[in-house]
Amino acid sequence: MFLSKLFKALIRTAVFFMAFAALFIGSTKISHAQTDYPNKPIRFIVPFPAGGATDNIARPLQNELLNTVKWNVVIDNKPGAGGNIGAEIVAKSAPDGYTWLMASVGTHGINLPLYTQGGGKLPFDPIKDFTPVTLVAELPNVLVLNPEFAVKNKINSVNDLIAYARANPGKVNMASSGNGTSIHMAGELFKAMTKTYMVHLPYKGSPPAVTDLVAGNVDIMFDNLPSSINFIRTGRLKALAVTSAKRSPAFPDLPTIAEAANLPSYEATSWFGVVGPANMPADILNKDSAVLMAAINSPSVKEKYLAMGAQPVGNTPAQFSTFIKNEIAKWTKVVKDSGAKVD
């Protein structure tokens, strides 16, 4: 009897130590996996087509991370619905650091008030469903026209465009990179403040919209500067003004819309930043933030951004989180005041 009880006690002790050992080994593996992060490619979702401003901002980061810290970051373009399709993919991904989104003023500023007005609903919450990592860059939009349209209608300034649009309501069509993008909202804000009516034509990203603008299939566009800058320089698009509060260093002679049309409160800029799914582990978030901030501040990335008219930023996750909340508040007012809607 005594030996039987002793044997059972030994078995219970052995089981306890085996369970403890398994737990210890498992926790060690988790810790090792996080300190060894990343040990596989990171999927970097760009919610707009290749060749657009969002894509152009993402690619210098991709190259810099590969060249400096040997991180394999794979860009995956998932355009559609004003960036919502790509954003939803990231919102529903595992928070392990292996899925990033190049968020924008559209996905994390404009779309919430724009798509939810009238009882609509976004497939994600821009605050609750994401972990902000860092604000990458800011840039102005630029009001560009098809040159033949400008010559035919004698439009050489912002005031010329306003006068023509007022005299011809509905005859000017305005391309955008999609509903809810900064390009769309820059145009809607312009229409509201100038009391003009122009027909909005949403595209799936800037590249197809700019292609049709150059071809003369559409008349005007408030495009992100990086995707139009070469067409402006070669004369294939006519630039009238930038949408930022200050002039762009890329085109110092180009006025702001605020000064060109005497609209002192007009401002509609774009921004881009990296976010991951909600609940990313603190050690992975801190590592992503540090590596990305170093890349943004590198001479190589800075040079590329400035050449395309973008201003590199780089901030902490906490600062970026506050920035996103402020942007949503700002654009909620703009959407309401402009009467903008999803076309």
Side-chain angles (χ1 to χ4, degrees):
M1 179 68 72
F2 172 77
L3 291 176
S4 176
K5 289 183 179 180
L6 179 61
F7 181 70
K8 290 179 180 179
L10 289 173
I11 291 177
R12 284 196 298 268
T13 303
V15 169
F16 170 80
F17 280 108
M18 288 174 64
F20 178 80
L23 179 63
F24 175 78
I25 292 170
S27 64
T28 302
K29 286 182 177 179
I30 292 172
S31 175
H32 176 70
Q34 291 184 353
T35 56
D36 195 36
Y37 166 87
N39 52 33
K40 63 180 181 180
I42 294 172
R43 185 187 187 192
F44 195 4
I45 291 182
V46 173
F48 293 97
T54 315
D55 186 75
N56 289 338
I57 293 294
R59 293 190 183 273
L61 283 182
Q62 176 194 38
N63 293 333
E64 184 70 13
L65 293 176
L66 180 62
N67 293 334
T68 55
V69 292
K70 308 304 179 184
W71 284 18
N72 185 10
V73 177
V74 181
I75 290 178
D76 187 2
N77 296 92
K78 294 292 184 183
N84 291 342
I85 291 175
E88 182 181 8
I89 292 172
V90 177
K92 295 180 178 179
S93 296
D96 54 9
Y98 289 100
T99 309
W100 295 350
L101 173 73
M102 181 56 87
S104 69
V105 63
T107 62
H108 284 69
I110 297 169
N111 286 2
L112 181 61
L114 185 68
Y115 280 79
T116 57
Q117 66 175 351
K121 187 177 181 180
L122 275 183
F124 57 84
D125 186 308
I127 295 176
K128 295 179 181 178
D129 292 339
F130 297 91
T131 300
V133 181
T134 189
L135 178 62
V136 175
E138 296 178 296
L139 55 85
N141 292 338
V142 58
L143 172 55
V144 285
L145 282 64
N146 173 272
E148 293 181 8
F149 169 79
V151 170
K152 178 181 177 181
N153 298 293
K154 299 178 181 179
I155 300 174
N156 294 301
S157 68
V158 177
N159 283 329
D160 288 343
L161 175 62
I162 294 171
Y164 180 82
R166 285 175 177 169
N168 300 274
K171 290 187 178 181
V172 180
N173 51 53
M174 178 186 77
S176 85
S177 54
N179 286 306
T181 60
S182 67
I183 294 171
H184 173 204
M185 293 308 301
E188 293 295 341
L189 184 60
F190 180 82
K191 287 160 59 177
M193 294 183 69
T194 58
K195 295 180 172 57
T196 54
Y197 172 62
M198 295 180 284
V199 179
H200 174 222
L201 301 177
Y203 285 73
K204 290 184 177 180
S206 281
V210 172
T211 297
D212 268 6
L213 182 63
V214 171
N217 296 325
V218 290
D219 303 323
I220 76 165
M221 186 175 177
F222 290 79
D223 194 26
N224 294 144
L225 187 53
S227 50
S228 278
I229 193 166
N230 289 331
F231 293 104
I232 296 170
R233 287 171 174 164
T234 57
R236 299 175 70 187
L237 288 178
K238 181 179 180 65
L240 296 184
V242 292
T243 65
S244 49
K246 297 180 180 180
R247 295 192 180 198
S248 168
F251 292 102
D253 295 331
L254 200 62
T256 66
I257 287 178
E259 61 181 307
N262 193 26
L263 298 171
S265 61
Y266 183 94
E267 181 184 1
T269 55
S270 297
W271 56 261
F272 308 89
V274 176
V275 301
N279 303 315
M280 284 175 60
D283 56 344
I284 289 179
L285 173 60
N286 292 336
K287 193 170 188 179
D288 282 352
S289 175
V291 168
L292 283 166
M293 285 181 68
I296 293 165
N297 288 305
S298 68
S300 173
V301 172
K302 277 189 172 181
E303 180 182 358
K304 289 181 175 66
Y305 283 174
L306 293 174
M308 66 176 78
Q311 184 66 42
V313 183
N315 60 9
T316 67
Q319 290 170 332
F320 190 27
S321 177
T322 300
F323 177 87
I324 290 172
K325 292 173 184 176
N326 290 338
E327 283 291 290
I328 291 173
K330 166 188 171 181
W331 286 104
T332 296
K333 184 177 186 305
V334 172
V335 169
K336 181 180 178 180
D337 292 348
S338 69
K341 61 182 181 179
V342 176
D343 295 298

